[in-house]
Amino acid sequence: MDQLLHHLRHLGFTEMESKIMVELARQGSASGYEVAKRLGVSRSNVYATLQRLESRGFLRCSPGEPAKYSMLKPEEMTRMISDQMHTSLDYVERSMPKSEPEKPVFYNVEGDKNVLENLSRELAAAQHEIVVDVWREEAELLREELQQAEARGVRLLWSCEGGEGMVDQPLPLPGLPSHGMGNGRKFSLVVDRRWCMLGMRGESCPTQAVVTAHPVMTGLLLNHFAQELVLYELEQDIGEELEDRYGRRYADIAARYWSTPAPDHEQ
């Protein structure tokens, strides 16, 4: 009995409604007075509850004096409840206000401390892959965090420039100006293909970086990284044949897209 009353309340019936419905189902039919007497509750409460259940369609009321109330068959009652619930659920699904999906944001980070703290936090949370395109100086600063990530099973993909360092990875194409020239060294990292940082750091410039989870930016950095490594691998594989076949033409083609434009007065 307690289990049945519990489930009726779970379906939205009050305790009084549940007890009256069970009592009527057991007895077949009864007047309000008889129900109140059997349950030992106030007749006024019983009459009000009977009328409410009748208006909702869960009870039948036979004419006469006194009026007799009876329950629907269990299968009729459960089918009615199921239909009402599906109607309400469908309406809620269609009508519930939908908030705009959260848009990825770009934000700036300035200063060595803030940049490294942001990087350390994301590297510690990496689960699958870290793509790193940095100079030797920045690689050394991130050595511990990256080694810990690798120990957890995170895949590391490297491109490191600037001489001897913690890794031995491809350098820029021969003869092309390094992208670290100028006021600082550029660096970029992509974590789990969802978060990225692109910035610049150097002795003669303030450390600054752009951080975002925008898929366009992460895609651009991943494509740039892949293209650099593919070109390097092709150059290493073809070797002297590339120079024999294209000669200076190869350097001219590459310089067209990688070199820094000369000032107007030099053109």
Side-chain angles (χ1 to χ4, degrees):
M1 175 66 70
D2 289 341
Q3 280 286 83
L4 178 56
L5 292 174
H6 167 77
H7 285 289
L8 285 169
R9 290 195 298 270
H10 187 68
L11 289 171
F13 296 102
T14 67
E15 184 172 355
M16 178 67 75
E17 290 171 341
S18 301
K19 289 181 177 180
I20 289 175
M21 292 166 71
V22 172
E23 183 62 30
L24 287 174
R26 180 190 292 117
Q27 298 298 327
S29 68
S31 66
Y33 171 80
E34 292 170 328
V35 172
K37 185 176 180 180
R38 289 169 185 164
L39 294 178
V41 295
S42 164
R43 279 184 292 172
S44 60
N45 288 342
V46 168
Y47 283 124
T49 304
L50 288 168
Q51 291 171 3
R52 185 165 62 249
L53 288 170
E54 181 194 5
S55 68
R56 293 171 60 190
F58 294 112
L59 299 183
R60 295 190 179 97
C61 180
S62 62
E65 189 61 40
K68 295 277 188 174
Y69 294 90
S70 60
M71 275 292 301
L72 298 178
K73 293 179 179 180
E75 59 269 25
E76 292 177 345
M77 182 188 73
T78 54
R79 184 166 56 250
M80 179 184 296
I81 295 172
S82 177
D83 290 344
Q84 290 176 354
M85 290 187 68
H86 277 97
T87 299
S88 295
L89 289 171
D90 289 342
Y91 180 83
V92 169
E93 184 176 345
R94 293 192 310 271
S95 306
M96 183 65 74
K98 297 179 177 65
S99 60
E100 291 293 325
E102 187 175 343
K103 298 178 181 178
V105 297
F106 293 80
Y107 63 92
N108 295 323
V109 181
E110 297 186 359
D112 253 14
K113 182 176 182 293
N114 291 333
V115 168
L116 292 174
E117 284 179 352
N118 270 265
L119 278 175
S120 296
R121 184 169 56 250
E122 291 298 326
L123 295 177
Q127 297 180 358
H128 307 292
E129 177 188 83
I130 300 173
V131 176
V132 186
D133 188 357
V134 296
W135 281 67
R136 174 177 58 84
E137 290 85 348
E138 285 65 50
E140 294 293 341
L141 289 174
L142 300 173
R143 174 195 291 268
E144 184 175 348
E145 288 87 349
L146 293 167
Q147 287 178 339
Q148 290 173 357
E150 193 168 31
R152 297 196 308 271
V154 177
R155 182 173 75 151
L156 298 185
L157 299 176
W158 279 96
S159 177
C160 187
E161 303 181 41
E164 299 297 328
M166 65 177 286
V167 290
D168 182 16
Q169 290 289 337
L171 298 177
L173 295 173
L176 298 184
S178 166
H179 70 259
M181 294 180 65
N183 293 329
R185 298 177 299 274
K186 296 179 183 177
F187 62 88
S188 67
L189 293 93
V190 181
V191 176
D192 289 338
R193 305 198 175 196
R194 59 160 184 82
W195 180 95
C196 65
M197 176 182 282
L198 173 65
M200 179 174 285
R201 181 177 181 273
E203 290 70 23
S204 60
C205 74
T207 300
Q208 294 180 319
V210 174
V211 176
T212 185
H214 199 294
V216 170
M217 180 61 78
T218 56
L220 285 172
L221 290 178
L222 289 170
N223 287 341
H224 171 75
F225 178 85
Q227 289 167 6
E228 271 196 340
L229 271 292
V230 167
L231 285 172
Y232 174 81
E233 293 285 351
L234 288 174
E235 187 178 57
Q236 297 302 303
D237 185 53
I238 296 174
E240 295 180 359
E241 183 181 340
L242 183 67
E243 187 174 347
D244 291 342
R245 181 167 182 178
Y246 289 97
R248 282 293 308 167
R249 175 65 176 156
Y250 170 67
D252 292 342
I253 293 173
R256 184 185 308 167
Y257 300 103
W258 272 281
S259 62
T260 303
D264 292 339
H265 67 272
E266 295 182 8
Q267 295 180 353

